[in-house]
Amino acid sequence: MTRLKYFFFLPLAILMVGCTEVIDFKPDNVEPYTVLVSRPQNDEVVTVQMSRSRFFLDNDNYGTGVSDASLTLTVNGTPYRGVYTPSFNGYASCGYRFAVRPQAGDTLTVSAVVPGTEQPLTAGTRIPLTPNLTITDYVVDTSYYGSYYYGGDFSFRLRFKVRSPDEQCYYSVRIRRAYNGGDDEEPVWDTDYLEEVYFECNDAVVNSLDIASNINLDNEGFWGNEMLFSNELFRNDEHEFTVTFNAWVNQGLRVAEMPLYVEIRALSPELYRYIQTTSQQSDFDELFGEPVQVYCNISGGIGVFGGQNVASFRAPAPRFEKFSNNTNNYFE
Amino acid sequence: MFLKKLIPLLAWLGLMAPLMAQSYTISGTVTAYFTGETLISATVYDMLSGKGALTNAQGRFSLTLPKGDVVLRVSYVGYDTQYDTFLLDANRQMNVALVSSLTLQTVTIRADRINSPQSSQMSAIDVPIEHIKAIPVLFGESDVLKALQLLPGVQSGTEGMSGIYVRGGGPDQNLFLLDGVPLYNVNHMGGFFSAFNADAIKNVTLYKGSFPARFSGRLSSVLDITTNDGNDKRIHGNVSIGLIAAKANIEGPLFSDKTTFNVSVRRTYADLMLKPTLALVSLADPALDKVKLGYFFYDLNAKVTHRFNDRSRLIGSWYSGDDKIYAGMGFSSGDYEERFDLGYKWGNMVGSLRWNYEINPKLFMNLTGAYTRYRNNISITMEDNEFYDTHMDYYKAEVYYKSGIRDITAKVDFDYQPNPDHTVKFGGQVLHHIFQPDVIGNRMETNTDEPVIDTVLGESIVHANEMSLFIEDDWNISEALKLNCGVNLSGFLVQGKFYPSLQPRLSGRWLISDDLSIKAGYSYMTQYMHQLSNSSISLPTDLWVPVTARIAPMYAHQVAAGVFYNFLGLADLSMELYYKKMRNMLEYRDGASFLGSSAAWEDKVCMGDGWSYGVELLLQRTIGKFTGWVGYTWSRTMRQFDREGQMLNNGDPFPAKYDRRHDLAIMVSFKPSEKFDASATWILSSGNTGTLAMQEYVDPVTGQEVSYVASRNNFRMPVYHRLDAGVNFHSQKRHGVLTWSISVYNLYNRKNPFLVFERPNTHYVLDGQHYSSALVKLSLFPIIPSLSLSYKF
């Protein structure tokens, strides 16, 4: 009878033995792709970044810049040659600049010949029309719960109204915050804690998976996330956006000014889809879900060549009066 | 009222034909002699006229022949054939009881009933329950769906899972009928076991294409399962205990031989074995109170059949099956006590009442009322009590989640055989669906000053009505040519929108010789509901949702053709080619996640098209000590989502997740004597597809690392193969037969992939200080022996 227990434990023991095994994975092609990334903007010098991708299992390879490419940009049929300029953005890519500032409505094509590759990279886009969005109103509400010594939660809301032209457009909204530095005498926002920004748009078609997009701000102004939407439902109509900021404010806050810049970008369809898919990919963490396929409009390579047109307005900063130790002493 | 008028009309219809044709009808029931079970698809054949009929799902037959001598042959594989000679000069009622044949008791696949050269039906497979029980499977637990996965045209999903993928269709495109009533969740334990207890089942028929017009509602397959009626001679049953579950079945006459019952119950018992350990944990720490933790599933099948007379029967059947996870723990410390409880329960319940009535010898009616329910409930409760000198503070928080679907069904169908050349089936049904996608409730109460919170969030209940009318005729045009033609008219009413669908069905057989035939068929199917699932695993959180104003019904056209050949009565060979085109299929958008929530689900899916084509070969031997089959499928299944705003893979076609080029299954059974039998299965198939981002780069504008996916499902997992084997030792005891069953799953311990993922820095190259990641497969089931003991009395 005592041996009977082995009957139960043996299968379980076997079940636990070595359930993972490395696959001998040899895909047909592990060679890097040539990457071209550019977001030409109205009234801005066009810059194209060139690099090479890395095979996903090659951990030591961080990609390399492509410095020997020959690039040609045509704006409404007029060609311009690209000039290699060393990259200062810290990433493994090489920048090429063109002595042209395209205007809204211009049609652009780019062609890049890279030594060692069989076919040139080509792509096309258009600089969208300037966003015809009218800021008609805004309201700032503030609330704060915290203490001088421990810091606390801070939030405010910003509302603004927009008017969209009577055509299908793609937009991106980003909020920038001016950084006013700081020292012991003039405390600033705690940069260790990222702030959260929630967008609400009552009836707009938000072409991301979540209606409320989270935006993390840092002291550089903005990074990564932004709110993408199309004007499909409020075409030629006013629409109100509400942006709610929630932040952890560091100890010692007395007075803080936070001028805000609301930046509205009209996006070409190419750039819209690229931003949308890269944003989805960065948020993707499902073990069993379908990986996100990032949009690419580069023939002969990967990346994006998508035009944009930026308009922005400045919203007045919410002010916070100096408060004493017993003001809203939520934490004490 | 309507029925009162209809029955005389139909009776007249049945009686008029023989008067005009000077012929008479032989009708009755074919049953098994020792058990009284009705036999489905038994052959009743007049050897003089060459006319015959098959028994229907209730074991009834009707054969109209000209006045004169008749030599009637009644046969059914596994039973001794009976002959009867008489002069047919009046309508004749005869019930035939066939005796089980000792020489043919070896396990056989009775493909000759449906998939034979003689039948007009194609793309259908009839698997006897004895065979399903004999196939060695995971943990030794016989499983209907896993047995079907061994047949050509039917693919398994992920390792160990019970889901089936038929001819390029998804797992939600299969209609599972238990005694004619739809069942929505057919899995236990996340898909490792199916919800069908083999002890309760009499007959399993799978239709993969050329669907008869009486079936509707799903695109890819119909699995028609009939449960046992119960022995009308004596009480008998069996009990068994295996590695993870114990089962019991009892059947027999109730009060008299006019009423029979059959009850089967199955339950896993791992949670019961865990209880002593948990009791010890509670004893070890006095602060802990009533620690509980466990998982189990059970299913219960019950059926009562009452025979009023030879023409009328009433059948009540019941199925309930649940999975339950539970956990709980209490903690107390002087003036403070708290308790946490979690309960997670999901499962089906099906109840039906049927009345079989022979209106006249040529016309048979089946009237059914049914209720089916699938529910998925989670509840979490937390309680805190704080004791003070003068009073006690009390807090209780409760969160619950509910989702499910309920159906109320009413249907009537008729079998009408005006003459031996026509077997007409017609009828209709109405289903009222009640969808409850998901509801989350939150309640918090206390005896302190804090307010009571009681909120309910979630999608509202959706009511929908599905209705269908059908008529089909199995028509013997000539000795060689036989046709089954029909039409199904269905409609779906949801949220004020009505979706109609006219679905023609056609299949034909050309009998070149007694052993060789060619068949072809076409079917059009429409499906009005979808299952939202987050993964390839069958999770209880998978949600059924109806079509909506935005999401249109899916539909499919399927054509198939095949050759069927019988080698001297020793073996059958069939080859079928098929092509299926599917429209309005759903796929999840990149990065979409449901996680049990249907909120805004229409925004998370894309609608597109799919197609599948392939060839299926089946070679089977049904006679002798060695029986079994070899099934092989070559297929290709593609998807394309190129509609505006619903694009996937840039609008280009891509292989479906379960697109497999090759699927081979060999099943061998050996039964040298009544005391011993053995069986083995070997499976070899191409790996499933998956999506891998094989290149990465950094976007220099945003600094984000971008993974570049060249196309969806661009990666194929390693080849899957596995050998399972089992032996059964039977010994005759005083009151029954004792059987020891030993089986081994994955005999040579093949590590088949369940999941593939990237493991960083796995390889280290010394010379260049070079690291690289590796792809790693996770395997769930290595070699698993199992042992079970059963006693049949």
Side-chain angles (χ1 to χ4, degrees):
Chain A
M1 194 63 189
T2 55
R3 291 182 181 176
L4 196 60
K5 62 186 178 188
Y6 296 113
F7 165 71
F8 292 104
F9 288 125
L10 183 64
L12 289 174
I14 292 171
L15 194 64
M16 299 306 292
V17 173
C19 289
T20 61
E21 190 176 84
V22 172
I23 295 174
D24 185 18
F25 178 56
K26 291 176 182 171
D28 297 336
N29 183 17
V30 297
E31 292 301 311
Y33 287 34
T34 306
V35 184
L36 187 155
V37 175
S38 177
R39 302 182 179 195
Q41 183 177 327
N42 59 307
D43 289 328
E44 295 277 344
V45 169
V46 176
T47 302
V48 174
Q49 300 280 348
M50 299 285 294
S51 61
R52 285 195 178 87
S53 65
R54 70 177 178 92
F55 183 57
F56 78 115
L57 294 178
D58 192 358
N59 291 149
D60 270 3
N61 178 3
Y62 296 99
T64 54
V66 176
S67 58
D68 55 353
S70 173
L71 274 78
T72 304
L73 175 77
T74 60
V75 178
N76 296 329
T78 306
Y80 299 88
R81 282 198 63 78
V83 178
Y84 168 65
T85 51
S87 174
F88 298 106
N89 60 15
Y91 303 117
S93 68
C94 295
Y96 294 81
R97 295 192 179 189
F98 298 86
V100 59
R101 292 173 187 265
Q103 299 301 308
D106 286 352
T107 301
L108 283 68
T109 60
V110 68
S111 170
V113 177
V114 181
T117 57
E118 292 180 0
Q119 65 178 110
L121 281 68
T122 56
T125 189
R126 180 174 173 268
I127 304 294
L129 298 176
T130 305
N132 185 17
L133 304 176
T134 309
I135 306 303
T136 55
D137 190 18
Y138 62 81
V139 175
V140 176
D141 302 324
T142 59
S143 62
Y144 178 74
Y145 296 96
S147 76
Y148 178 82
Y149 294 110
Y150 300 104
D153 293 315
F154 166 83
S155 72
F156 73 92
R157 284 182 294 164
L158 170 70
R159 296 194 188 99
F160 59 94
K161 291 183 178 179
V162 298
R163 182 180 291 280
S164 170
D166 187 18
E167 60 184 33
Q168 176 72 52
C169 292
Y170 299 104
Y171 295 106
S172 153
V173 173
R174 296 196 290 190
I175 309 295
R176 305 183 67 161
R177 174 172 60 78
Y179 175 54
N180 62 351
D183 51 33
D184 290 343
E185 295 300 316
E186 194 67 29
V188 297
W189 301 80
D190 187 345
T191 58
D192 292 336
Y193 293 88
L194 295 175
E195 303 147 18
E196 296 173 329
V197 181
Y198 298 98
F199 280 106
E200 295 170 15
C201 40
N202 303 338
D203 55 359
V205 174
V206 179
N207 285 293
S208 62
L209 290 174
D210 298 306
I211 292 293
S213 299
N214 296 335
I215 293 189
N216 295 325
L217 297 181
D218 63 14
N219 282 328
E220 300 297 324
F222 54 79
W223 183 85
N225 297 326
E226 55 201 302
M227 183 191 186
L228 286 176
F229 64 99
S230 76
N231 66 339
E232 191 177 344
L233 285 187
F234 62 97
R235 195 180 293 180
N236 199 25
D237 196 7
E238 261 192 356
H239 185 74
E240 184 178 87
F241 285 78
T242 303
V243 190
T244 304
F245 293 78
N246 295 308
W248 174 268
V249 180
N250 201 5
Q251 60 178 324
L253 175 68
R254 289 195 292 272
V255 178
E257 286 197 357
M258 199 181 70
L260 293 166
Y261 294 92
V262 179
E263 183 184 277
I264 301 167
R265 291 190 294 163
L267 305 174
S268 62
E270 299 85 26
L271 188 55
Y272 170 78
R273 289 184 64 188
Y274 179 77
I275 295 172
Q276 185 189 41
T277 51
T278 50
S279 173
Q280 285 173 2
Q281 190 177 78
S282 69
D283 293 340
F284 177 72
D285 58 357
E286 280 292 315
L287 185 61
F288 296 109
E290 275 299 326
V292 177
Q293 200 173 355
V294 170
Y295 175 77
C296 163
N297 70 330
I298 309 296
S299 172
I302 56 179
V304 70
F305 183 64
Q308 59 181 343
N309 197 327
V310 181
S312 66
F313 78 97
R314 184 181 190 277
R319 262 193 93 76
F320 301 92
E321 298 301 326
K322 178 179 178 180
F323 57 84
S324 63
N325 289 354
N326 58 4
T327 304
N328 294 324
N329 278 348
Y330 183 78
F331 292 98
E332 291 183 340
Chain B
M1 282 300 290
F2 173 72
L3 207 61
K4 277 186 176 178
K5 291 178 182 175
L6 184 65
I7 289 176
L9 176 70
L10 295 171
W12 176 84
L13 194 68
L15 291 169
M16 285 305 291
L19 289 176
M20 290 184 287
Q22 285 294 306
S23 57
Y24 299 100
T25 301
I26 310 162
S27 63
T29 306
V30 180
T31 57
Y33 181 80
F34 290 113
T35 65
E37 283 290 339
T38 53
L39 299 178
I40 301 170
S41 296
T43 304
V44 182
Y45 181 73
D46 175 29
M47 299 178 70
L48 295 180
S49 66
K51 305 289 185 186
L54 294 176
T55 54
N56 65 9
Q58 290 75 39
R60 301 285 304 179
F61 71 93
S62 171
L63 180 62
T64 302
L65 298 170
K67 180 181 178 182
D69 288 329
V70 170
V71 179
L72 205 64
R73 185 185 72 195
V74 183
S75 60
Y76 189 77
V77 171
Y79 289 78
D80 285 342
T81 300
Q82 278 197 20
Y83 297 89
D84 199 357
T85 304
F86 52 87
L87 174 67
L88 183 65
D89 54 1
N91 285 340
R92 192 180 180 102
Q93 175 78 26
M94 60 184 293
N95 296 325
V96 182
L98 297 180
V99 178
S100 176
S101 164
L102 287 175
T103 55
L104 286 176
Q105 269 187 351
T106 51
V107 174
T108 58
I109 182 166
R110 291 179 295 218
D112 56 336
R113 285 157 54 191
I114 279 186
N115 217 17
S116 70
Q118 284 77 25
S119 167
S120 64
Q121 179 66 49
M122 66 177 301
S123 304
I125 299 175
D126 204 350
V127 185
I129 199 65
E130 295 87 351
H131 216 160
I132 290 167
K133 288 178 179 175
I135 292 172
V137 286
L138 185 64
F139 296 122
E141 192 64 26
S142 2
D143 194 302
V144 172
L145 298 185
K146 284 179 185 160
L148 295 176
Q149 289 170 357
L150 300 173
L151 298 167
V154 184
Q155 294 178 331
S156 60
T158 313
E159 157 88 315
M161 294 293 165
S162 284
I164 58 173
Y165 296 76
V166 180
R167 290 186 172 176
D172 66 341
Q173 294 176 9
N174 307 308
L175 177 63
F176 297 100
L177 295 173
L178 187 66
D179 285 328
V181 184
L183 203 62
Y184 285 97
N185 178 47
V186 294
N187 298 302
H188 285 305
M189 208 187 270
F192 292 121
F193 300 97
S194 76
F196 305 111
N197 180 356
D199 283 350
I201 294 171
K202 175 164 68 175
N203 189 74
V204 176
T205 305
L206 176 73
Y207 298 88
K208 301 179 289 183
S210 297
F211 301 98
R214 59 185 178 275
F215 297 120
S216 65
R218 299 292 188 279
L219 293 197
S220 292
S221 82
V222 177
L223 182 65
D224 193 10
I225 293 178
T226 310
T227 57
N228 286 317
D229 295 326
N231 195 313
D232 66 354
K233 303 288 190 301
R234 64 184 180 90
I235 297 279
H236 87 99
N238 65 70
V239 290
S240 68
I241 184 164
L243 199 61
I244 64 159
K247 295 186 288 187
N249 168 251
I250 188 162
E251 60 179 316
L254 197 65
F255 311 125
S256 72
D257 65 349
K258 285 183 176 293
T259 308
T260 60
F261 75 95
N262 188 314
V263 178
S264 299
V265 64
R266 173 174 64 162
R267 190 194 192 278
T268 57
Y269 51 78
D271 60 316
L272 303 177
M273 295 173 68
L274 195 61
K275 280 194 172 178
T277 309
L278 295 174
L280 287 174
V281 170
S282 297
L283 285 174
D285 187 347
L288 295 177
D289 179 37
K290 291 180 184 172
V291 178
K292 60 179 184 179
L293 175 68
Y295 164 80
F296 71 90
F297 73 76
Y298 81 93
D299 34 49
L300 168 70
N301 291 78
K303 194 170 185 178
V304 176
T305 305
H306 179 71
R307 185 163 50 86
F308 296 105
N309 52 50
D310 284 343
R311 296 173 57 192
S312 179
R313 282 199 312 166
L314 189 66
I315 301 137
S317 63
W318 177 269
Y319 166 82
S320 64
D322 280 316
D323 290 53
K324 186 170 184 182
I325 298 170
Y326 57 91
M329 190 169 70
F331 176 81
S332 58
S333 167
D335 57 355
Y336 177 78
E337 64 180 32
E338 63 180 354
R339 172 139 201 101
F340 164 83
D341 284 292
L342 178 146
Y344 189 2
K345 187 176 182 180
W346 66 96
N348 295 285
M349 191 265 284
V350 176
S352 69
L353 197 62
R354 276 183 295 139
W355 179 40
N356 300 158
Y357 180 63
E358 184 187 284
I359 297 168
N360 63 50
K362 295 183 175 187
L363 191 63
F364 182 78
M365 182 183 71
N366 190 24
L367 191 65
T368 306
Y371 174 79
T372 180
R373 182 210 64 195
Y374 170 67
R375 54 115 189 256
N376 172 33
N377 294 346
I378 304 171
S379 109
I380 300 170
T381 310
M382 286 167 282
E383 283 182 73
D384 284 352
N385 295 321
E386 293 177 34
F387 300 97
Y388 299 95
D389 292 340
T390 56
H391 69 285
M392 179 190 86
D393 282 351
Y394 161 78
Y395 299 90
K396 183 176 181 182
E398 185 181 5
V399 180
Y400 62 86
Y401 169 89
K402 291 181 178 178
S403 72
I405 178 171
R406 284 171 285 163
D407 280 0
I408 300 164
T409 307
K411 70 175 179 180
V412 61
D413 50 81
F414 298 91
D415 287 5
Y416 173 57
Q417 192 155 32
N419 58 58
D421 292 331
H422 290 275
T423 302
V424 180
K425 293 178 190 290
F426 59 97
Q429 68 171 351
V430 177
L431 283 92
H432 179 66
H433 302 285
I434 304 165
F435 296 90
Q436 184 179 48
D438 51 340
V439 170
I440 298 168
N442 181 13
R443 178 174 171 80
M444 193 175 84
E445 61 182 60
T446 176
N447 63 346
T448 64
D449 295 337
E450 292 181 32
V452 172
I453 297 172
D454 194 353
T455 56
V456 178
L457 304 169
E459 298 284 303
S460 57
I461 286 176
V462 178
H463 293 265
N465 290 302
E466 184 176 354
M467 55 225 81
S468 69
L469 295 169
F470 73 90
I471 183 164
E472 64 177 77
D473 183 14
D474 209 31
W475 179 19
N476 292 313
I477 298 171
S478 69
E479 286 289 317
L481 197 60
K482 193 171 182 180
L483 208 62
N484 184 293
C485 50
V487 64
N488 186 300
L489 173 65
S490 72
F492 195 81
L493 179 64
V494 61
Q495 295 171 338
K497 189 166 177 65
F498 183 69
Y499 291 100
S501 175
L502 185 68
Q503 303 161 46
R505 315 282 171 80
L506 183 67
S507 64
R509 177 220 66 186
W510 180 34
L511 194 64
I512 297 168
S513 71
D514 281 349
D515 298 327
L516 177 66
S517 71
I518 294 172
K519 299 181 189 180
Y522 163 79
S523 60
Y524 177 88
M525 300 290 278
T526 304
Q527 180 168 335
Y528 301 104
M529 56 180 72
H530 304 277
Q531 190 177 29
L532 303 180
S533 167
N534 203 49
S535 69
S536 51
I537 302 176
S538 172
L539 296 174
T541 51
D542 295 349
L543 299 170
W544 284 95
V545 290
V547 296
T548 65
R550 278 172 63 188
I551 304 293
M554 293 190 282
Y555 60 88
H557 299 273
Q558 187 180 164
V559 289
V563 180
F564 299 80
Y565 184 62
N566 182 273
F567 290 109
L568 304 172
L570 298 174
D572 292 312
L573 173 68
S574 67
M575 183 185 76
E576 289 190 37
L577 294 99
Y578 72 90
Y579 179 85
K580 182 158 72 173
K581 176 77 178 169
M582 296 163 276
R583 300 273 295 166
N584 300 337
M585 300 190 76
L586 296 188
E587 287 266 345
Y588 308 126
R589 289 182 190 272
D590 290 345
S593 171
F594 289 102
L595 286 176
S597 168
S598 68
W601 68 270
E602 292 161 293
D603 296 328
K604 298 178 182 177
V605 295
C606 294
M607 255 198 308
D609 304 330
W611 60 92
S612 179
Y613 53 88
V615 57
E616 299 165 0
L617 295 168
L618 179 65
L619 174 66
Q620 54 183 320
R621 180 181 161 82
T622 58
I623 293 174
K625 291 179 180 176
F626 276 104
T627 57
W629 73 80
V630 179
Y632 170 75
T633 307
W634 182 97
S635 64
R636 189 175 173 84
T637 303
M638 300 293 289
R639 302 278 188 266
Q640 185 168 26
F641 287 70
D642 57 355
R643 301 179 193 181
E644 183 63 33
Q646 309 208 48
M647 245 183 246
L648 292 178
N649 200 43
N650 296 317
D652 297 328
F654 59 92
K657 193 170 187 62
Y658 295 98
D659 169 52
R660 292 190 202 138
R661 206 63 65 245
H662 307 281
D663 252 307
L664 173 71
I666 299 172
M667 194 279 169
V668 179
S669 183
F670 176 57
K671 187 169 185 178
S673 72
E674 290 303 306
K675 292 186 175 179
F676 172 77
D677 62 76
S679 58
T681 58
W682 187 65
I683 301 164
L684 171 71
S685 66
S686 309
N688 292 331
T689 63
T691 305
L692 267 188
M694 299 211 194
Q695 295 287 333
E696 292 175 348
Y697 66 93
V698 176
D699 184 323
V701 177
T702 62
Q704 182 185 343
E705 187 166 279
V706 177
S707 298
Y708 179 69
V709 177
S711 63
R712 210 176 231 226
N713 295 337
N714 58 345
F715 164 74
R716 196 168 284 282
M717 288 192 185
V719 169
Y720 184 100
H721 54 91
R722 196 187 79 225
L723 175 66
D724 306 332
V727 290
N728 296 308
F729 299 95
H730 311 279
S731 56
Q732 186 68 46
K733 302 296 178 188
R734 187 172 179 182
H735 296 292
V737 178
L738 185 70
T739 301
W740 285 93
S741 300
I742 301 166
S743 66
V744 183
Y745 180 87
N746 197 3
L747 190 62
Y748 53 81
N749 196 27
R750 160 76 177 173
K751 289 181 178 171
N752 285 304
F754 174 75
L755 187 70
V756 170
F757 59 93
E758 181 187 347
R759 182 187 285 165
N761 301 334
T762 301
H763 291 162
Y764 177 63
V765 182
L766 285 172
D767 53 352
Q769 296 284 307
H770 178 73
Y771 289 93
S772 74
S773 300
L775 273 190
V776 175
K777 64 179 175 183
L778 171 68
S779 305
L780 281 192
F781 300 114
I783 179 171
I784 299 177
S786 57
L787 176 71
S788 66
L789 176 66
S790 65
Y791 184 70
K792 187 172 184 179
F793 57 90

